[in-house]
Amino acid sequence: MTYAMKEVLEFVEENDVKFIRLAFCDILGMQKNISIMPQELERAFEQGISFDASSILGFMNVEKSDLFLHPDPSTLNILPWRPQQGRVIRFFCDIKHPDGRAFEGDTRNILKKAVERAEKMGYICKIGSECEFYLFETDEKGRPTYIPHDEGRYLDIAPLDKGENVRREICLSLEQMGIQPESSHHEQGPGQNEIDFKYSDALTAADNLMTFKAVVKAVALRNGLFASFMPKPILSESGSGLHINISLSKDGDNIFKEGNTDSSAAKSFIAGVIDRIADITAFTNPLTNSYARFGSFRAPKFVSWSHQNRSQLIRIPAETGEYSRMELRSPDPACNPYITFALILHAGLDGIEKKMELPEPINQNLFNASSDELKNIKALPQNLKEALDVASRSSFVRTILGEDMLSKYLEIKLEEWNRYFESEDRESVERQMYFRTI
């Protein structure tokens, strides 16, 4: 047993911990967990806790269904919305086969491999997420309705903004869990909110995003509301995006800084992401509903980049020093962050290795551009089927995810697409598939 594990066991004993949640993520990005009692924690560290992986969509078949959860001691968090007496803590876990091999469908491990590749190349990746969500009213039985919590708009205050107390509670809960919120505000849509938190290393950033979504849903429920991360829950209103801010440092220096000697590597990183964005869109935008967001309310539609311009796929914000970065604006909150961050990181590292040339920026507002102005600009996939077709042909995606995971993911998502495409009421089908779960 390592020193960190011993420290955790002492913490559990000294802090009246009664329940321990072992959390993991399925290939679709849904958080799952098993609760164990404190006396089982040492066994969890040494041997793992088994679960029926055939019951997790996209994991294992019934004939070989056992997998084991091994808690990562560095991810210990107290859940602040649970009782302070008889506390509940949570770990994120590594998933392994009975013989100790890493499970191929463990998306957290896929991101670890991407981080290791970056480190071997001499780079440390930092990621910060800007995640939007909607708050909806619930009925007398606590079931979610489609009625937004308020009619506020961008940066409104009370009484138009009714979400400020909920956002405050979310921010305080995140702070107690070691996640530092930087800003929060009402977004463009009615009942739509955004909370941004401080950047961190790539794996921690993915863990933090999973934690963030769980905190938002728990705090909303405690306030009699329902939080939705569906990309476009109200088709006529602003969609919810997941803007991903990425920087790379080499020898402690941010290569995205203006005037940096490695700025050519930063340009090649961006070029690599642009080159592979179509391949990975089925993962950054994984729902049929994701594609209703593209091209409206400042969500990108074309494969382009520019400084500051919010109509672009990638923009370079007007920041300096350690905050210099690129911002990828196409992903949405329904994605699996481990897969998404891994694919983006690998794409950018490919760009650096191949010394890809960054195309010229497009500085005009693409939302107002004419068809003639847009005809030579490549568009993002226009629907989930198109994105899945591109992913299925991508050797890049297949190499990173493996044949088995890619096949399972495509099978699940094609089933969703067929259900949506064959329906006479597609909006109703999307709500049935996604509204209560995403």
Side-chain angles (χ1 to χ4, degrees):
M1 182 181 296
T2 66
Y3 177 71
M5 294 174 185
K6 290 179 180 178
E7 281 190 312
V8 168
L9 293 173
E10 290 174 2
F11 177 90
V12 167
E13 187 173 348
E14 294 169 2
N15 287 273
D16 192 31
V17 173
K18 297 299 184 187
F19 292 93
I20 298 159
R21 291 187 180 180
L22 305 182
F24 64 101
C25 187
D26 69 13
I27 65 174
L28 302 183
M30 300 297 293
Q31 188 175 156
K32 308 287 185 180
N33 76 204
I34 293 175
S35 290
I36 62 172
M37 305 303 284
Q39 59 268 27
E40 298 299 314
L41 184 55
E42 186 172 354
R43 178 169 71 92
F45 281 134
E46 293 179 348
Q47 301 173 24
I49 299 297
S50 67
F51 68 99
D52 176 9
S54 67
S55 296
I56 303 295
L57 198 62
F59 269 29
M60 300 287 281
N61 299 323
V62 292
E63 59 268 24
K64 285 188 177 181
S65 60
D66 287 343
L67 290 174
F68 286 78
L69 298 176
H70 293 258
D72 180 343
S74 69
T75 64
L76 185 155
N77 267 135
I78 296 173
L79 302 187
W81 60 87
R82 304 300 296 160
Q84 292 304 297
Q85 294 182 335
R87 285 174 166 164
V88 179
I89 63 173
R90 185 224 60 206
F91 296 95
F92 286 112
C93 297
D94 297 318
I95 309 173
K96 298 183 180 181
H97 289 285
D99 61 5
R101 287 179 296 118
F103 170 51
E104 300 80 2
D106 182 357
T107 59
R108 195 167 183 266
N109 191 52
I110 287 172
L111 179 54
K112 284 183 180 181
K113 291 178 180 177
V115 171
E116 289 171 5
R117 179 188 176 192
E119 290 174 348
K120 287 178 181 177
M121 293 173 63
Y123 296 105
I124 302 296
C125 178
K126 299 289 186 181
I127 294 179
S129 302
E130 302 172 22
C131 191
E132 298 165 341
F133 60 94
Y134 272 84
L135 293 175
F136 291 93
E137 303 287 347
T138 55
D139 64 18
E140 64 278 2
K141 293 185 178 180
R143 295 172 299 199
T145 70
Y146 302 121
I147 303 170
H149 181 44
D150 61 35
E151 293 299 322
R153 297 293 174 171
Y154 187 61
L155 301 187
D156 273 344
I157 63 172
L160 288 172
D161 171 20
K162 294 182 180 179
E164 58 182 15
N165 288 336
V166 178
R167 292 196 304 273
R168 176 180 179 275
E169 191 174 337
I170 291 168
C171 288
L172 292 175
S173 295
L174 290 171
E175 204 168 37
Q176 290 178 59
M177 299 179 77
I179 301 173
Q180 186 60 52
E182 290 191 324
S183 64
S184 64
H185 58 85
H186 200 287
E187 256 299 337
Q188 295 182 52
Q192 190 183 30
N193 299 266
E194 179 178 319
I195 296 174
D196 304 333
F197 40 93
K198 191 171 178 63
Y199 64 84
S200 56
D201 68 89
L203 184 63
T204 302
D207 287 344
N208 286 351
L209 185 55
M210 295 301 297
T211 299
F212 171 78
K213 292 173 71 173
V215 169
V216 169
K217 285 190 172 287
V219 172
L221 181 63
R222 192 159 66 180
N223 285 272
L225 299 168
F226 174 74
S228 174
F229 290 95
M230 189 171 167
K232 195 82 164 174
I234 306 173
L235 292 180
S236 60
E237 296 289 350
S238 176
S240 291
L242 174 66
H243 300 161
I244 300 174
N245 296 274
I246 304 173
S247 64
L248 292 177
S249 61
K250 189 171 187 178
D251 300 325
D253 199 18
N254 185 349
I255 69 169
F256 281 84
K257 256 189 332 191
E258 189 173 346
N260 190 291
T261 54
D262 281 316
S263 60
S264 60
K267 291 177 182 177
S268 291
F269 186 91
I270 298 171
V273 175
I274 287 174
D275 183 60
R276 293 298 188 185
I277 192 64
D279 297 47
I280 69 178
T281 297
F283 302 91
T284 59
N285 304 88
L287 312 184
T288 61
N289 179 253
S290 297
Y291 298 81
R293 179 177 150 260
F294 286 170
S296 63
F297 295 96
R298 299 191 180 184
K301 184 177 181 178
F302 297 93
V303 180
S304 58
W305 79 279
S306 180
H307 291 271
Q308 302 183 42
N309 190 336
R310 281 180 164 81
S311 71
Q312 308 292 327
L313 171 70
I314 293 175
R315 79 180 190 105
I316 309 301
E319 298 281 5
T320 58
E322 67 170 311
Y323 290 99
S324 301
R325 63 192 188 273
M326 60 160 277
E327 178 189 16
L328 181 64
R329 297 177 59 80
S330 60
D332 65 55
C335 72
N336 178 322
Y338 302 103
I339 293 178
T340 295
F341 293 176
L343 290 172
I344 294 169
L345 188 50
H346 276 296
L349 294 174
D350 277 1
I352 292 175
E353 284 190 337
K354 297 174 182 177
K355 296 183 179 180
M356 289 185 181
E357 292 289 330
L358 184 62
E360 289 297 312
I362 298 175
N363 296 318
Q364 69 190 105
N365 182 350
L366 295 184
F367 298 136
N368 297 330
S370 67
S371 56
D372 281 345
E373 291 172 314
L374 296 172
K375 65 182 179 181
N376 293 322
I377 305 175
K378 183 180 177 182
L380 291 166
Q382 296 303 290
N383 56 57
L384 180 60
K385 178 63 165 61
E386 187 179 324
L388 292 171
D389 287 345
V390 177
S392 70
R393 298 190 297 266
S394 173
S395 58
F396 168 77
V397 172
R398 185 169 281 101
T399 298
I400 294 164
L401 300 187
E403 184 68 48
D404 188 52
M405 178 188 284
L406 179 58
S407 296
K408 288 176 178 176
Y409 185 88
L410 293 173
E411 181 182 357
I412 293 166
K413 289 299 170 181
L414 280 171
E415 186 176 331
E416 290 178 16
W417 168 258
N418 289 334
R419 183 179 171 190
Y420 165 81
F421 185 72
E422 293 167 4
S423 172
E424 295 181 358
D425 186 353
R426 293 177 179 177
E427 183 177 358
S428 176
V429 165
E430 284 189 329
R431 284 181 167 179
Q432 290 171 23
M433 289 194 295
Y434 307 129
F435 184 71
R436 292 172 182 264
T437 57
I438 299 300

